[in-house]
Amino acid sequence: MIKRTHNCGELRQKNINNNVSLCGWIAKRRDLGGLIFIDLRDRYGKTQVVFNEDTHPDIFKTAKKLGLEDVIGITGLVNARPKEAVNPKMLTGEVDISVTELVVFNESDTPPFDIGNRNSAMEEHRLTYRYLELRTDELQRNMILRHKAGQATREFLNKQDFIEIETPILMKSTPEGARDFLVPSRIHKGRFYALPQSPQTYKQLLMVAGFDKYFQIVKCFRDEDFRADRQPEFTQIDIEMSFIEQNDIIKIGTGLTRYVFESVLDVKLPETFPSFTYQEAMEKYGSDKPDTRFGMELHEFAQYVEQSDFNAFKSVLEIGGRVKAVVCPNADHFSRKVIDELTVWIKTYHGAKGLAWMKSVNGSLDGGISKFFPDEVKSQIINDLDVSENDIIFIIGDTQKVVLNSLGALRLELANLENLIDTNAWAPLWVVDFPLVEWNDDKNRWDAMHHPFTSPHLEDIKLMETDPANVRSLGYDVVVNGYELGGGSIRIHSKDLQKKAFDLLGVSESEAQEKFGFLMDAFKYGAPPHGGMAFGFDRLVMLLAGSSQIRDVIAFPKTTSAMSLMDNSPSFVDDQQLYELGLEIKKIDKS
């Protein structure tokens, strides 16, 4: 056994003439006849080691048989590389090691993909061999970065007098907005635990218990449809505080975000982040998580439609719809073919019925629906919307929801197509005053936009019975570069106000007692004013890593269909296990 004296990223000129021992994996191998050069890798870096047939023929003979990803230990003398052989791309590139002792710990089969080039295989193939993909430079960096972000989180919150408390993983199923993962009880047949979508009720109970500043970095589980930045199991930085107001949570959330960015990336974010109300964010950017690294704000267009002969949009306005527009540069990049493709995309994925347009050419508007607008109205549009030569205006008319969502998505798509986003910039902001409830057409009822314990603005309580759509919540999100990084709310701590909220959501007294009785009972014994938030830790690390999907920053992620290709889960279980749980599977094709 060779025990390492140094790691593979440590040796420098100061170590020349030292006798050292390294252990690691063979990342690269070059056989030059009487000399074999190997790059030995561990998580700290790489070091070049040299086997010389003249000085150590027996060791050289063994080295001839070594292959990529074999695990070895070596002892040898640190030498200065010749000037022409210095590798400036390696931290250890000024030295190499003349090997005097070699132990082969383990030989490797031929790897199923090139570990030196992560993109040498499709993602599904790499996920099948995730333990090998984790050896790649990129994922090694990501895991180290994730560790640093976790450490920074704990350091910051500890300095703010928070205490870390674990909450149960097996809990009661409660409505949280997504489907629960259920765990059948063997002892209590026919009953189920749920895996927590968040520790929401527990952290509120901790406030009742007097732990006024709580946090944990916690696993959460949601059985929902997945995207690149979602997983069935994910990690939250969970925070709750007592005797506070919304601005106190925003101050803590801002401080934590700044501390993590500075600790991990040495990036100094502004001391205060810009703040938008939900209404402002939707009207300006068509999104409640706006990316403000570029302009292209949405413009009201109804006043110009009213002066036009474009009856399709006039009809939209007559039935209470909206017409809005976005102005994009480089109109000459948008051929009829490109515009048609954008139209199909916006119809298919965002529900708009069409996409109208006009181009700025020679000081006027031309093409698309421009013929329906008088010249003086075109001039007014150019002036009011600050339209430049060779800009293109895209317009959508529909219901408010469709118009805002469609134009918000189009704004981002255009910015990406035209490379308008400064990828080196960081644009953090807060969105506040979310609606308390949103209407569910399918179930013909009001649903909580956040959760049933979110407090309304106190001045809006009077609207809960007469105008629920305009009740603002004390809910807030922190957004960075168009990603919702975290969100939370001030909670309801009054039993009378909680009853009003349940009544609005159609939750009967018996249903509330069945689902939340333990929390309601706790509130009878002195619940302090409290609130909190949760950061998506995986998404935070994804942003820090410069990645576009959270699978890149989770050690063992699932696919977008919630499968683990490495261990083939979820998998079927045998009949004996089902019998012990009192379960029976019906009509399942196991082929």
Side-chain angles (χ1 to χ4, degrees), residues 71 105 121 126 130 188 190 221 241 256 265 279 364 422 458 474 481 493 534 581:
V71 188
F105 295 125
R126 287 184 273 116
R130 182 64 168 190
H188 305 285
F221 307 85
M241 302 169 68
L256 176 58
L265 296 183
Q279 192 67 26
S364 185
D422 181 357
L458 298 185
L474 290 171
N481 291 4
H493 65 278
L581 293 168

Side-chain angles (χ1 to χ4, degrees), residues 244-265:
I244 44 79
E245 296 178 326
Q246 177 170 289
N247 284 340
D248 299 307
I249 303 287
I250 288 176
K251 184 178 178 182
I252 284 289
T254 300
L256 176 58
T257 305
R258 294 184 71 241
Y259 190 84
V260 170
F261 268 76
E262 186 166 1
S263 299
V264 176
L265 296 183

Side-chain angles (χ1 to χ4, degrees), residues 357-376:
W357 59 276
M358 296 185 275
K359 291 183 178 183
S360 174
V361 180
N362 297 326
S364 185
L365 297 178
D366 189 37
I369 62 171
S370 63
K371 62 185 177 184
F372 297 102
F373 291 78
D375 288 343
E376 62 270 19

Side-chain angles (χ1 to χ4, degrees), residues 455-466:
S455 175
H457 271 269
L458 298 185
E459 59 266 37
D460 290 354
I461 292 174
K462 59 184 180 294
L463 300 175
M464 289 176 71
E465 294 178 7
T466 59

Side-chain angles (χ1 to χ4, degrees), residues 153-336:
T153 296
R154 288 188 165 94
E155 287 167 8
F156 175 83
L157 292 172
N158 185 55
K159 290 174 184 175
Q160 301 292 326
D161 289 331
F162 283 80
I163 60 171
E164 187 168 6
I165 303 175
E166 292 181 341
T167 53
I169 292 297
L170 296 177
M171 62 174 289
K172 182 181 179 66
S173 178
T174 58
E176 293 269 3
R179 298 181 194 89
D180 284 327
F181 281 104
L182 298 177
V183 180
S185 169
R186 177 183 60 82
I187 298 171
H188 305 285
K189 288 184 173 57
R191 297 191 180 192
F192 295 81
Y193 300 103
L195 302 181
Q197 295 186 34
S198 78
Q200 182 60 51
T201 51
Y202 288 113
K203 66 182 180 181
Q204 292 191 254
L205 289 171
L206 287 171
M207 296 303 103
V208 177
F211 295 100
D212 65 313
K213 288 185 172 183
Y214 139 92
F215 88 97
Q216 66 174 321
I217 299 178
V218 59
K219 278 284 188 184
C220 301
F221 307 85
R222 291 180 187 173
D223 187 7
E224 59 185 347
D225 297 328
F226 303 111
R227 301 189 305 242
D229 60 345
R230 282 184 181 171
Q231 284 276 292
E233 53 180 310
F234 57 96
T235 305
Q236 282 185 183
I237 305 169
D238 206 48
I239 297 169
E240 197 80 3
M241 302 169 68
S242 294
F243 307 113
I244 44 79
E245 296 178 326
Q246 177 170 289
N247 284 340
D248 299 307
I249 303 287
I250 288 176
K251 184 178 178 182
I252 284 289
T254 300
L256 176 58
T257 305
R258 294 184 71 241
Y259 190 84
V260 170
F261 268 76
E262 186 166 1
S263 299
V264 176
L265 296 183
D266 197 26
V267 167
K268 291 184 185 295
L269 297 178
E271 288 190 16
T272 57
F273 299 168
S275 180
F276 298 87
T277 67
Y278 172 84
Q279 192 67 26
E280 287 172 339
M282 293 302 297
E283 291 291 343
K284 281 187 175 182
Y285 303 105
S287 173
D288 59 4
K289 46 181 185 296
D291 189 341
T292 59
R293 289 175 294 172
F294 63 103
M296 289 177 60
E297 294 181 7
L298 310 189
H299 298 279
E300 201 64 55
F301 210 76
Q303 64 269 38
Y304 312 117
V305 170
E306 288 166 350
Q307 302 176 67
S308 76
D309 297 321
F310 195 59
N311 292 327
F313 280 170
K314 282 187 171 181
S315 300
V316 166
L317 295 175
E318 286 169 4
I319 59 173
R322 301 284 300 279
V323 182
K324 296 198 73 156
V326 65
V327 181
C328 179
N330 305 324
D332 54 323
H333 293 178
F334 294 90
S335 64
R336 191 56 189 262

